[in-house]
Amino acid sequence: MKKWKMVLLGLASLFVLFTIVTGFKTFILTSKQPEPQPVKIDVPGEGAVARFSKAITYPTISRQDYSQFSYAEFDDFLGFLEDSYPLVHEQLHLDKVNDYGLIYRWQGSEETKLPIGLTAHYDVVPVLEGTETDWGQSPFSGEVVDGKVWGRGTLDDKIGVIGILEAVEKLLSEGYQPKRDVYLLFGFDEEVGGEKGAQAIAEKLKQRNIKFEFILDEGGAIIEGMVPGLAKPVGVVGLSEKGMATAELSAEGSGGHSSQPENQTNIGRISRAIAKLEKAQFPADLQGPAEDLFAYTAPEMKGAMKYVFANQAIFEPVIESILLKKTTTAALLRTTIAPTIFQAGEQYNALPEKAKAIINLRVMPGESLEDVQSYIEETINDELVQVSVTGNEASSVSSIDSWHFKSIQQAARNVYPEAVIAPYLMFAGSDARHYDEIAENTYRFLLVLITAEDLNRMHGSNEHISIDNFLQAVSFYQELIVNADHQAGDR
């Protein structure tokens, strides 16, 4: 009996110690948010909105086949930019790459400082044929209705191009000159990979031996309800973007009449392989930008969630279990698989001699394509299914300790003080990855408040954005340019 008392006493002591240690870690957790210096949104609202609205009326649609671009629309759009932003075109030097990629250089007063780059793209995805009537306003109308600007590109990503140009035009009108060079880098084919736009722009700058302190592109935004246990909106700044790869699974064998099938047909074999992958999924691990996200948001949480996230190392399995319940947060933890194409058969009563499936993969930082292929092969465990993986690995992970990140964070807090600004991992692709080689850090963030419905509208029907959101984005770019000039830690 005495022995059991000693054991229970020991367990109780451990529990008390555990509670004290974890409770203390929760108590001493301090905010990683800079104190906001709220700014008045001093943007010529009516004129800026009118110019933004007009920009949407140009259907600058990019297509996989470059010969299918309507370049006349792109020419008209560039003419519109020149007419709308006279100071930018008078005082900044403009280079064109492949005729439509734009490099604006705003010369700084101190040549020894490395430049910063603000990038966006002005191409848009097509409106799916037959869905035009689903729109509340015509997709290329630029209509302003109920405090919102409607049309393709309002969210992705003419808001970035026009927001940056409005900010620079305003600063030029006030006689502002940056200390360091500021480059405005605008692609025209981001939606189809950026080969002739951002990729060619980056190559030209590399040839000129231009190195950037940081590049800021679109990507993250301010989102409500993204982080468990946090009621405040969270502005997520992408430190990296997942790689995008394609896995092709194929099986070949004898066909024949459907009245005498084998127990395992080619279609059945590929289907079983996909079922295995979907059941197993790639391993989940809270690390890198995802871990940083919760390190920055945990101090702002309350109650049990704050306690759990303040002790990530101890409660990692619990945290991963919570995050895996939602697709939006599960993607932070693992490489994702999405079967998108299945090809097999030509006739209802003939067994196909070949079956093929295409799986879209979004690859976590640190995982190579070879790692991905090996995992798929081991999971499927079928020598008769051939696997090939092609595509891009994740981009490099940018720093959260540099003045670069802090400058973005401060500018965002100044414009949107109630938001928690935190690092994260971007799931989709952007032009930012093309600048990795010529920038110390690349970030992905646009200061707009978006909802889950907005995410669906970006490439779907009824894309629109509020006027307040647009004007806040303009103000953010102004703040960032000025803020980058006043960082004590820069060089």
Side-chain angles (χ1 to χ4, degrees):
M1 194 69 178
K2 186 176 180 180
K3 181 179 178 181
W4 278 111
K5 286 184 178 179
M6 292 297 293
V7 170
L8 290 174
L9 182 61
L11 290 173
S13 300
L14 288 174
F15 177 75
V16 170
L17 180 61
F18 173 84
T19 303
I20 291 172
V21 171
T22 55
F24 181 71
K25 286 191 68 175
T26 306
F27 177 75
I28 65 170
L29 207 59
T30 56
S31 178
K32 293 180 179 291
Q33 302 302 303
E35 192 65 30
Q37 302 164 16
V39 295
K40 180 181 178 182
I41 297 179
D42 185 21
V43 179
E46 189 173 332
V49 172
R51 287 184 288 273
F52 183 41
S53 171
K54 181 66 174 175
I56 303 305
T57 65
Y58 298 92
T60 48
I61 298 169
S62 57
R63 303 181 187 276
Q64 292 293 339
D65 182 351
Y66 282 89
S67 69
Q68 298 300 309
F69 276 47
S70 179
Y71 288 107
E73 297 290 352
F74 286 72
D75 288 326
D76 290 345
F77 180 75
L78 297 189
F80 156 75
L81 293 185
E82 189 170 349
D83 292 340
S84 299
Y85 302 101
L87 295 180
V88 169
H89 287 84
E90 287 170 11
Q91 299 186 38
L92 274 63
H93 178 75
L94 172 61
D95 277 339
K96 294 182 179 179
V97 179
N98 290 327
D99 297 325
Y100 300 101
L102 308 179
I103 304 174
Y104 292 91
R105 181 195 175 204
W106 188 4
Q107 188 168 354
S109 59
E110 299 181 20
E111 294 182 1
T112 58
K113 293 183 178 292
L114 294 180
I116 64 170
L118 304 178
T119 184
H121 67 91
Y122 63 91
D123 62 310
V124 299
V125 297
V127 174
L128 187 64
E129 189 174 349
T131 66
E132 295 87 351
T133 57
D134 296 338
W135 287 70
Q137 305 295 328
S138 179
F140 291 103
S141 66
E143 289 285 351
V144 181
V145 180
D146 296 331
K148 300 179 179 67
V149 183
W150 288 71
R152 181 65 87 225
T154 50
L155 281 167
D156 187 15
D157 175 40
K158 282 180 179 172
I159 183 176
V161 174
I162 302 303
I164 291 168
L165 288 171
E166 287 288 340
V168 173
E169 186 81 4
K170 181 68 163 58
L171 290 171
L172 288 170
S173 72
E174 297 170 348
Y176 184 81
Q177 184 186 17
K179 292 180 181 178
R180 64 182 75 252
D181 285 1
V182 178
Y183 281 79
L184 318 181
L185 310 169
F186 300 142
F188 69 97
D189 61 347
E190 190 270 352
E191 299 293 0
V192 292
E195 178 184 351
K196 293 189 176 183
Q199 185 174 330
I201 289 171
E203 184 58 36
K204 181 174 282 290
L205 294 170
K206 182 179 178 181
Q207 291 170 2
R208 295 176 181 174
N209 295 317
I210 295 172
K211 183 79 173 178
F212 290 86
E213 287 280 4
F214 69 86
I215 296 277
L216 178 67
D217 195 7
E218 61 161 337
I222 298 176
I223 304 172
E224 293 180 325
M226 177 182 177
V227 177
L230 185 57
K232 294 180 182 178
V234 180
V236 287
V237 180
L239 305 182
S240 175
E241 60 191 65
K242 285 178 135 183
M244 186 165 68
T246 298
E248 180 180 302
L249 312 185
S250 61
E252 296 186 34
S254 60
H257 199 281
S258 62
S259 63
Q260 301 177 64
E262 297 283 347
N263 287 341
Q264 186 77 67
T265 63
N266 291 327
I267 289 178
R269 190 174 294 279
I270 296 296
S271 299
R272 186 177 68 173
I274 292 174
K276 283 184 176 181
L277 287 172
E278 289 188 326
K279 182 179 180 181
Q281 295 293 334
F282 276 79
D285 189 11
L286 182 62
Q287 60 173 325
E291 189 174 16
D292 294 332
L293 169 63
F294 295 106
Y296 272 68
T297 55
E300 318 305 323
M301 295 177 184
K302 297 184 183 302
M305 280 296 185
K306 181 173 184 177
Y307 175 73
V308 169
F309 281 96
N311 295 277
Q312 279 194 43
I314 296 171
F315 293 114
E316 185 169 334
V318 176
I319 294 172
E320 290 176 355
S321 176
I322 294 170
L323 299 179
L324 288 172
K325 290 178 180 177
K326 294 177 62 176
T327 56
T328 51
T329 49
L332 287 168
L333 304 182
R334 65 187 178 200
T335 293
T336 56
I337 56 173
T340 52
I341 299 173
F342 201 115
Q343 297 172 334
E346 296 180 358
Q347 190 167 317
Y348 76 93
N349 62 350
L351 297 171
E353 294 185 1
K354 183 174 181 178
K356 181 172 73 173
I358 301 297
I359 299 175
N360 181 255
L361 302 154
R362 300 303 169 109
V363 183
M364 288 287 287
E367 290 186 10
S368 68
L369 297 188
E370 290 79 8
D371 294 335
V372 170
Q373 179 161 334
S374 295
Y375 183 80
I376 291 174
E377 290 172 341
E378 291 170 5
T379 302
I380 291 172
N381 192 27
D382 188 342
E383 293 181 355
L384 295 181
V385 175
Q386 301 301 310
V387 179
S388 68
V389 176
T390 57
N392 302 309
E393 293 168 0
S395 67
S396 59
V397 179
S398 295
S399 171
I400 55 174
D401 297 320
S402 67
W403 69 261
H404 310 151
F405 178 80
K406 292 177 173 60
S407 183
I408 295 167
Q409 191 185 31
Q410 183 69 63
R413 290 272 291 168
N414 290 354
V415 177
Y416 208 122
E418 59 268 42
V420 176
I421 309 301
Y424 97 124
L425 174 64
M426 183 174 164
F427 307 150
S430 73
D431 274 342
R433 69 186 185 280
H434 296 301
Y435 297 103
D436 264 358
E437 285 190 36
I438 61 171
E440 185 172 329
N441 287 299
T442 56
Y443 300 99
R444 299 145 183 87
F445 179 69
L446 176 63
L447 192 140
V448 293
L449 176 65
I450 62 173
T451 64
E453 290 77 14
D454 290 326
L455 293 174
N456 293 329
R457 291 186 187 113
M458 281 188 182
H459 285 190
S461 298
N462 290 317
E463 186 178 345
H464 63 263
I465 194 167
S466 72
I467 289 173
D468 288 344
N469 252 334
F470 167 63
L471 296 180
Q472 284 176 324
V474 176
S475 189
F476 164 72
Y477 285 122
Q478 286 182 215
E479 276 295 292
L480 180 59
I481 292 168
V482 174
N483 202 268
D485 272 342
H486 296 90
Q487 290 296 321
D490 70 353
R491 56 184 184 275

